[in-house]
Amino acid sequence: MKTVKVGLGTCGISAGGEKVYQAFQDELKEHPDAFVLKETGCIGMCYREVLVEVSNGSGTGYTYGEVTPDRVGRIVEDDLLGHQAIDEWIVGGDTEEGYFENQKRIVLRNCGVIDPGSIDEYIASGGYEALKKTLTEMTPEDVITEVETSGLRGRGGGGFPTGTKWKFTRGAKGDKKYIICNADEGDPGAFMDRSILEGDPSAVLEGMAIAGYAVGADEAYVYCRAEYPKAIARLRQAIAQAKKKGFLGDKIFGSDFSFNIKIKEGAGAFVCGEETALIHSIEGLRGMPRFRPPFPAQSGLWGKPTNINNVETFANVPWIILNGGSAYAAFGTENSKGTKVFAMAGKIRRSGLVEVPMGISINDIIFDICGGIIDDKRFKAVQMGGPSGGCIPAEMCDTKIDYQQINKTGAIMGSGGLVVMDETTCMVDVAKFFLTFTQSESCGKCTFCRIGTKRMLEILERICDGQGTMEDLANLEELSNQIIEASLCGLGQTAPNPVLTTLKYFRHEYEAHIKEKKCPAHVCPALLTYTINDDCTGCTVCAKACPTDAITGEKKELHVVHQDKCIKCGKCFTVCRFDAVVKD
Amino acid sequence: MSSATKDNFKSFNIDLWKYDGQKGALIPLLQSAQDTYGYISEKAIDYISHVTGIASADIYGVVTFYAQFRTKPLGKYVVKVCNGTACHVNGAKMISDTIIDELNIDYEETSEDHNFSMLSVACVGCCSLAPVVVVNDETYGRLTAPKLRKILRQYKQRAKKEQQSSEGQA
Ligand SMILES: Cc1cc2nc3c(=O)[nH]c(=O)nc-3n(C[C@H](O)[C@H](O)[C@H](O)COP(=O)(O)O)c2cc1C
Ligand code: SF4
Ligand code: SF4
Ligand code: FES
Ligand code: FES
């Protein structure tokens, strides 16, 4: 019998996945023996949602893209009952050339494959084997050595070697130790951790338990943002199921090792992703960072040694234990081993989740895997690392995915948000966007982070409004350096990066705003001129919408914008149904 | 047990009652208060202070620190505009302009009839559908200004109907 799996990750649900699922369920009532219905997490091809995979008993299958409830009837009729696949709806083949061939799935091994609500499916795909091996065949030191051999580095942004961190926590003195999984995912353009938690929550829990054994901790927390209700529900379910099976709880696999995991919901502050702030938040305090050292490995939660890692870091661990550290280290470059998951977004054809071996170039990801730029526009830059990261210009995108190489450009690897920008993106506006974010998220403890980012934002706003001067550029650089030096935590220390990298690579765009009073990408409202072209039908909608009566014209005749009255609000542009209003 | 009664067991009062001095309980209690009442009232802060012994001023400090907590009730329909990076470069500004124009409210505001509130959120996890708006639990993606206007007008009508029918009952 065929199995039907509906992708119900967050983006699948947003695209209408639950309605598709419901439609299959309704069909099932009429044809109870036609197929087995299941759900799964993010398959990765978010750009073709809703995705439905059909597989036969032997496990081979194919995936339908852009499925709507209306299409379900025909899928059931032709394919599931009639055994005739509907070729024109299938994704893959020519349209998706290069998408899978260039990826390597370690972290995402189960995402979009298994039902994340079923621990049995996780077990069937090798789940909890690694924990069993750890507890029955390995000493904590063996585990740490294996992780060191793998070369795994923290995927939360800092890139600190994971094995070394575990060694520190193991070596720290203390009667009680904690493991924390950082699932705060603060980068506003990223969704890797969320997709992993929604698609394969047990892998993260298993990784945490292995870490617990290695460092000598018996209690753990997952700190997950409250904005991720589905991920939290999945985690709760996976914890409950693991306890029932005896994979979590007391004396796991008959050993002396006990391990319990609790969930803490974050309360919406970006700075709480910083490890010391996160710990304060779990303790019920305001989530403000504190000076390090002592590092959490020495004194963390409630003052006890605490090992904190990112979701993706933990999700790698079971694979490393089962396949060996050297198998992991076989992928990648000299100092960046294994794979990295990226959330691809922006002006890219195939947006979604990809996992690639370290060492491939940014261009390979954008063009070979993700199919290039939407509408064949000119590729301008990628932004990596979110508010802490920077923009890499198209000319430099032969840069390899490697911690050092990316740092050289002024950007950072970050946690995996990769936003692609084309000629219609204004780089000054992008810098302003990130600074608006960091400025409002600064916890306010450090004067430079609090006031300095505010000054910088004011300058950027001035430039976007056409009021900037060339001196402003020098001031931006100077303020940046002061903030970097005088801030306590990573938020302040990295907040200027988006500004510095755009100043470095796109200075001409800043200058165009200042000297020519033009926004080359036609984004900054104050620098646009609105005019009406021949497509105008004289429908009068724009004239009615204009708040300053800057548009005149008789009914059914060409309308005109009077520039002296126009305040550039853009209303006419949004209301015109004939694309007759032009901004330049 | 029906699901309705089950939900009641999750309510704020029960959580308060179950509090037995465990560490780090303040934020979960505040979350529970907000889940139950939609916002955190002064009364709720008083209760929590009374039960946990944490000073009201300290609780207030925590409430104002975290973006999630609000001290005023929200409208019936909460329109959340995604201002994540992908949505920003794909026209989130056009989205918020349209909402401001159509509903006459700005970010962090609630309409006078309490039907609508507008909030800003960072990446809701479906960047491939950018620009994105979430109304209560329903997500709308690949929006254009006309498409969004149509959606908002449907909600306005719905709100109006609901109001009429509840007035009819009264
Ligand atoms: C402002 C700020 C925000 C951060 N946000 C996150 C986050 O959302 N998720 C995360 O895993 N790490 C985040 N980090 C990094 C953490 O402090 C910490 O280094 C990380 O969780 C360690 O795990 P790893 O070694 O596995 O990367 C953030 C750091 C700073 C300074
Ligand atoms: S650098 Fe900014 S966010 Fe970090 S502790 Fe200082 S003020 Fe707070
Ligand atoms: S941009 Fe605004 S002010 Fe200018 S013509 Fe259009 S509607 Fe009028
Ligand atoms: S969430 Fe559906 S493929 Fe990504
Ligand atoms: S940025 Fe809007 S959904 Fe990701």
Side-chain angles (χ1 to χ4, degrees):
Chain A
M1 196 176 357
K2 286 186 173 174
T3 301
V4 170
K5 279 187 212 164
V6 182
L8 290 181
T10 288
C11 106
I13 292 175
S14 307
E18 277 173 342
K19 291 181 190 113
V20 169
Y21 189 86
Q22 186 60 46
F24 275 111
Q25 223 161 22
D26 293 344
E27 291 282 346
L28 210 47
K29 278 183 204 133
E30 276 175 49
H31 316 281
D33 300 319
F35 58 96
V36 181
L37 182 59
K38 288 187 172 170
E39 62 176 283
T40 190
C42 179
I43 298 163
M45 304 167 108
C46 304
Y47 62 104
R48 299 294 299 267
E49 287 283 10
V50 176
L51 294 160
V52 173
E53 191 198 278
V54 176
S55 56
N56 59 27
S58 62
T60 53
Y62 43 85
T63 302
Y64 289 119
E66 282 129 23
V67 179
T68 56
D70 303 342
R71 289 184 168 189
V72 169
R74 192 174 148 204
I75 293 177
V76 173
E77 222 36 61
D78 290 10
D79 185 338
L80 303 173
L81 295 172
H83 300 289
Q84 185 62 49
I86 308 164
D87 289 334
E88 67 266 30
W89 292 352
I90 291 178
V91 298
D94 292 349
T95 49
E96 260 68 43
E97 202 189 328
Y99 184 78
F100 290 107
E101 297 88 310
N102 294 297
Q103 297 198 48
K104 172 69 204 165
R105 298 199 150 212
I106 291 178
V107 173
L108 302 179
R109 58 195 178 274
N110 292 326
C111 276
V113 179
I114 64 167
D115 175 354
S118 156
I119 198 166
D120 290 325
E121 287 197 17
Y122 181 65
I123 296 168
S125 69
Y128 284 108
E129 291 278 329
L131 181 61
K132 184 173 179 188
K133 179 174 170 190
T134 304
L135 297 183
T136 53
E137 296 169 27
M138 298 169 86
T139 65
E141 287 76 16
D142 291 342
V143 177
I144 292 176
T145 308
E146 206 60 60
V147 174
E148 279 182 317
T149 308
S150 75
L152 177 65
R153 295 169 65 165
R155 300 293 191 235
F160 191 82
T162 305
T164 313
K165 191 185 270 189
W166 290 14
K167 209 181 209 166
F168 284 153
T169 317
R170 170 142 199 94
K173 280 204 183 65
D175 48 342
K176 173 99 189 162
K177 291 178 188 175
Y178 293 98
I179 296 284
I180 295 176
C181 173
N182 188 343
D184 200 40
E185 191 148 75
D187 175 353
F191 49 94
M192 307 75 49
D193 293 349
R194 155 188 231 152
S195 302
I196 296 166
L197 292 172
E198 287 178 359
D200 195 13
S202 299
V204 179
L205 301 177
E206 186 178 0
M208 290 174 71
I210 294 168
Y213 176 73
V215 308
D218 63 352
E219 217 180 314
Y221 289 90
V222 183
Y223 186 87
C224 186
R225 24 182 348 178
E227 292 91 333
Y228 287 2
K230 177 118 194 173
I232 292 172
R234 286 291 186 220
L235 279 168
R236 284 197 206 291
Q237 198 178 17
I239 291 173
Q241 291 178 347
K243 268 193 189 150
K244 237 185 214 155
K245 298 257 179 197
F247 300 150
L248 291 175
D250 295 336
K251 303 209 178 295
I252 303 169
F253 289 114
S255 70
D256 282 337
F257 177 65
S258 302
F259 196 70
N260 284 294
I261 302 179
K262 291 194 189 118
I263 298 169
K264 280 276 174 178
E265 289 182 34
F270 173 61
V271 74
C272 285
E274 196 278 339
E275 52 193 27
T276 60
L278 187 154
I279 288 170
H280 285 152
S281 182
I282 295 183
E283 291 171 349
L285 309 171
R286 291 156 65 105
M288 292 223 190
R290 63 157 173 79
F291 185 76
R292 299 174 308 177
F295 288 90
Q298 300 147 316
S299 171
L301 189 60
W302 326 115
K304 307 289 182 199
T306 301
N307 183 88
I308 173 162
N309 279 119
N310 164 265
V311 170
E312 188 183 333
T313 313
F314 282 125
N316 271 300
V317 169
W319 192 95
I320 291 171
I321 296 297
L322 279 184
N323 297 275
S326 39
Y328 191 79
F331 300 104
T333 61
E334 179 72 39
N335 51 50
S336 305
K337 303 294 187 195
T339 61
K340 178 78 196 87
V341 180
F342 289 100
M344 305 296 301
K347 312 281 184 170
I348 184 112
R349 274 220 179 86
R350 303 175 187 160
S351 49
L353 270 201
V354 303
E355 181 174 358
V356 296
M358 298 272 190
I360 85 169
S361 75
I362 301 174
N363 274 332
D364 290 343
I365 300 181
I366 292 177
F367 292 97
D368 294 351
I369 299 179
C370 294
I373 310 298
I374 293 178
D375 296 336
D376 288 317
K377 291 229 168 65
R378 192 174 57 78
F379 170 38
K380 193 194 273 186
V382 292
Q383 210 283 347
M384 287 182 77
S388 307
C391 292
I392 304 176
E395 308 81 73
M396 291 177 71
C397 283
D398 52 358
T399 301
K400 290 191 162 45
I401 300 296
D402 170 289
Y403 287 93
Q404 257 99 333
Q405 298 290 319
I406 291 172
N407 282 349
K408 266 193 208 150
T409 67
I412 58 166
M413 177 82 79
S415 58
L418 212 156
V419 184
V420 178
M421 296 161 181
D422 69 7
E423 56 194 298
T424 64
T425 317
C426 168
M427 302 314 278
V428 187
D429 177 72
V430 166
K432 189 178 81 174
F433 166 75
F434 283 115
L435 213 68
T436 308
F437 181 82
T438 37
Q439 198 275 321
S440 73
E441 293 294 336
S442 163
C443 81
K445 191 168 179 170
C446 313
T447 317
F448 266 100
C449 175
R450 187 179 71 236
I451 315 264
T453 54
K454 192 152 194 194
R455 286 291 99 78
M456 285 180 72
L457 184 57
E458 285 162 7
I459 295 177
L460 288 171
E461 278 169 349
R462 252 199 332 263
I463 296 175
C464 290
D465 282 345
Q467 314 286 328
T469 63
M470 291 303 284
E471 253 159 66
D472 282 337
L473 300 188
N475 286 339
L476 280 177
E477 273 161 354
E478 173 158 358
L479 278 165
S480 293
N481 293 330
Q482 288 170 337
I483 296 170
I484 291 171
E485 268 167 38
S487 293
L488 178 67
C489 88
L491 190 152
Q493 289 159 3
T494 59
N497 282 351
V499 178
L500 288 175
T501 49
T502 48
L503 266 176
K504 184 166 160 196
Y505 300 119
F506 299 95
R507 204 177 187 91
H508 50 279
E509 288 198 25
Y510 283 84
E511 289 176 355
H513 283 72
I514 294 169
K515 291 186 186 158
E516 295 151 38
K517 310 279 176 227
K518 278 274 157 213
C519 174
H522 303 316
V523 170
C524 296
L527 303 180
L528 297 174
T529 325
Y530 289 87
T531 48
I532 295 174
N533 70 16
D534 292 348
D535 292 334
C536 172
T537 61
C539 75
T540 74
V541 165
C542 61
K544 284 192 196 119
C546 176
T548 59
D549 292 329
I551 302 178
T552 56
E554 292 301 314
K555 224 180 190 165
K556 297 201 178 148
E557 278 174 32
L558 189 70
H559 280 48
V560 185
V561 178
H562 300 279
Q563 298 301 334
D564 51 331
K565 281 194 182 167
C566 172
I567 55 164
K568 303 170 198 289
C569 70
K571 277 226 171 91
C572 52
F573 183 82
T574 52
V575 295
C576 181
R577 275 169 296 161
F578 306 99
D579 288 330
V581 179
V582 187
K583 49 180 178 179
D584 184 37
Chain B
M1 187 165 34
S2 81
S3 68
T5 48
K6 217 170 172 177
D7 279 343
N8 284 340
F9 276 98
K10 258 205 80 197
S11 77
F12 175 55
N13 292 326
I14 307 247
D15 283 340
L16 260 188
W17 176 71
K18 285 200 307 205
Y19 173 79
D20 60 359
Q22 65 270 47
K23 293 183 283 184
L26 176 57
I27 291 173
L29 281 175
L30 288 168
Q31 281 164 336
S32 156
Q34 183 152 304
D35 280 351
T36 308
Y37 301 110
Y39 72 109
I40 293 170
S41 61
E42 271 177 42
K43 226 175 178 169
I45 293 181
D46 282 348
Y47 282 146
I48 295 176
S49 171
H50 187 74
V51 172
T52 61
I54 304 171
S56 293
D58 291 340
I59 299 177
Y60 202 73
V62 170
V63 169
T64 51
F65 183 85
Y66 293 100
Q68 186 197 2
F69 297 131
R70 46 195 65 261
T71 48
K72 280 197 208 119
L74 290 172
K76 186 183 238 163
Y77 295 106
V78 181
V79 184
K80 294 184 204 152
V81 183
C82 179
N83 275 299
T85 319
C87 288
H88 178 79
V89 301
N90 278 321
K93 174 87 172 59
M94 173 269 292
I95 296 293
S96 54
D97 283 350
T98 307
I99 298 173
I100 292 168
D101 189 57
E102 189 69 41
L103 299 180
N104 264 318
I105 45 171
D106 208 326
Y107 285 118
E108 296 297 321
E109 288 179 1
T110 298
S111 62
E112 259 167 46
D113 56 12
H114 285 276
N115 279 337
F116 292 96
S117 295
M118 174 169 163
L119 299 178
S120 169
V121 290
C123 190
V124 293
C126 46
C127 309
S128 51
L129 304 177
V132 172
V133 160
V134 183
V135 184
N136 290 359
D137 286 328
E138 194 75 30
T139 308
Y140 300 92
R142 300 207 176 97
L143 289 171
T144 57
K147 215 166 134 186
L148 177 59
R149 270 183 209 277
K150 209 170 134 197
I151 293 165
L152 293 174
R153 282 180 192 161
Q154 281 167 355
Y155 275 103
K156 272 196 202 166
Q157 291 224 316
R158 220 159 105 184
K160 210 161 135 194
K161 264 196 204 133
E162 282 160 354
Q163 212 153 10
Q164 278 166 354
S165 74
S166 72
E167 272 162 17
Q169 274 171 6

